[in-house]
Amino acid sequence: PIPNHILRRMIQSWCEQNQSLGIQRIVTPRQPASTKEIPALVDAICDRTSDPGDSIQKLTKLLLLRPRLRNQMIQSGLLAQLGKLLSKSCSSTTTMMMMLSASMALGGNTLTPWSNVAVIDQSLRLLDLLTEHEDNVNASEELVTSLASITNRARPETRQVSVRILARLQLTDVMKRKIGGMQGFMESLVEIIKDGGCAIKSVGLSLILELCKSCNKNRILAVEAQVVASIVRLLKGGSLDKHTMELGLRVLEMVCHCAEGRAATSSHVDLVVKHMSGVSEHSSYLAVNILWFLIKSSPDSDKVKSDAYQHNALVKAVAIAQSAASLDTRLAARNISASLLELMPTMPHTIRL
């Protein structure tokens, strides 16, 4: 933008005079919305007489220019309004897609609601900016369920944005149980940690962890969505940063609180033992806890102990029991050692010093 308005007008006049030579007139820059307009723009989002996309674009432009207005926009009820708009857009999009499917089955033609898709994309962009660098942002149940619904049905790029926003919101246990139980939601999250980049894998794992903390049903749903196999694949890949690796182990530890999770994890004792001597104290603590869960509660405990013994878990457990900083880690390691020592008379000598 040219700050000198007289100079800008002179340039525009010259452009108009030379249009025959192919010169194009420079665009007059539009003034962004004023901060005084924020409440009116927020109210207009769900006003049937106005275009919500126009209000969202103005708020987005204003927020990009002045990030400090984030709190003022949130206090004006912007999150609640966007929740209502997304809920309505998702609902009408689902209805139209059902009509499209039915029409195609009958050999007819129906328009897909691309306008709703555009509104959803614009709303997600604004929400992403609003919640950027924020944690535990208060949100309505309507907004949370709408974002979960978008995660289920959207294209991969949009799905990643909605998951990123969800991970920043303050979710109550009621919300976690509700969206965790939504058909296909856990599968969508597992798909993200399988196919997404490193940053979004971390976000997806943290959201799965929060959902699994809320209730046993969500832990079972995560296991049924193949979360254990996906995390094992990630950990075996060896290209994860420390934070993402620890998140994967935390999810494995959490699903081991249910029988289904222990049954799925017991096939990967070798990986668990490997991470007992992990890259950090915390990853070692998590791996020790997982192995102890499997030994004491797995229905196939004898096989778990045999596999752990053969992969040198006894030596690692003895070392951890003596040197770990955490008392809980030392106690779990001692329990593992005692349990594996019982196998020594019957097992071949496989300990590698």
Side-chain angles (χ1 to χ4, degrees), residues 76-303:
S76 298
L78 181 54
L79 290 177
Q81 288 290 82
L82 289 173
K84 292 176 184 177
L85 178 65
L86 285 174
S87 178
K88 184 171 66 174
S89 298
C90 290
S91 176
S92 57
T93 300
T94 302
T95 303
M96 286 294 288
M97 292 307 290
M98 290 171 64
M99 290 171 61
L100 176 63
S101 300
S103 176
M104 290 177 67
L106 296 172
N109 233 334
T110 306
L111 290 176
T112 308
W114 297 116
S115 59
N116 284 344
V117 174
V119 166
I120 290 172
D121 285 344
Q122 291 169 355
S123 301
L124 289 178
R125 188 188 179 207
L126 180 53
L127 280 167
D128 199 20
L129 288 171
L130 278 172
T131 57
E132 193 177 17
H133 309 306
E134 300 285 336
D135 287 317
N136 295 321
V137 179
N138 286 319
S140 65
E141 187 172 320
E142 195 170 31
L143 175 59
V144 171
T145 52
S146 296
L147 288 170
S149 180
I150 291 168
T151 303
N152 272 353
R153 298 197 301 267
R155 60 187 186 276
E157 303 82 25
T158 306
R159 180 185 298 172
Q160 291 183 13
V161 177
S162 64
V163 167
R164 191 163 62 232
I165 297 166
L166 271 172
R168 298 169 185 160
L169 301 181
Q170 186 172 11
L171 305 178
T172 64
D173 284 344
V174 173
M175 292 178 184
K176 292 174 187 177
R177 287 193 289 269
K178 183 173 182 179
I179 65 174
M182 289 176 65
Q183 186 175 5
F185 182 66
M186 282 292 186
E187 286 80 0
S188 297
L189 291 181
V190 171
E191 189 121 354
I192 282 174
I193 67 172
K194 281 166 56 180
D195 303 327
C198 191
I200 197 63
K201 286 183 198 296
S202 177
V203 173
L205 285 168
S206 65
L207 186 53
I208 291 174
L209 179 63
E210 288 303 312
L211 296 180
C212 289
K213 285 179 181 178
S214 64
C215 63
N216 198 56
K217 182 181 177 182
N218 278 352
R219 292 191 277 271
I220 295 171
L221 288 170
V223 174
E224 291 174 349
Q226 303 298 315
V227 72
V228 172
S230 299
I231 291 173
V232 167
R233 195 177 300 115
L234 285 179
L235 294 175
K236 284 184 175 179
S239 59
L240 298 177
D241 59 85
K242 187 178 83 168
H243 176 66
T244 307
M245 183 188 69
E246 288 178 353
L247 274 174
L249 289 171
R250 286 179 70 188
V251 174
L252 284 183
E253 182 198 32
M254 185 55 61
V255 298
C256 280
H257 284 79
C258 68
E260 292 81 359
R262 291 189 292 272
T265 310
S266 62
S267 303
H268 308 287
V269 172
D270 58 330
L271 184 72
V272 176
V273 173
K274 175 184 174 182
H275 281 86
M276 285 174 66
S277 51
V279 296
S280 68
E281 175 85 19
H282 190 54
S283 64
S284 177
Y285 161 77
L286 292 167
V288 167
N289 270 7
I290 293 168
L291 183 58
W292 180 233
F293 266 127
L294 297 178
I295 288 175
K296 72 176 181 178
S297 303
S298 175
D300 202 1
S301 179
D302 289 341
K303 185 177 184 306

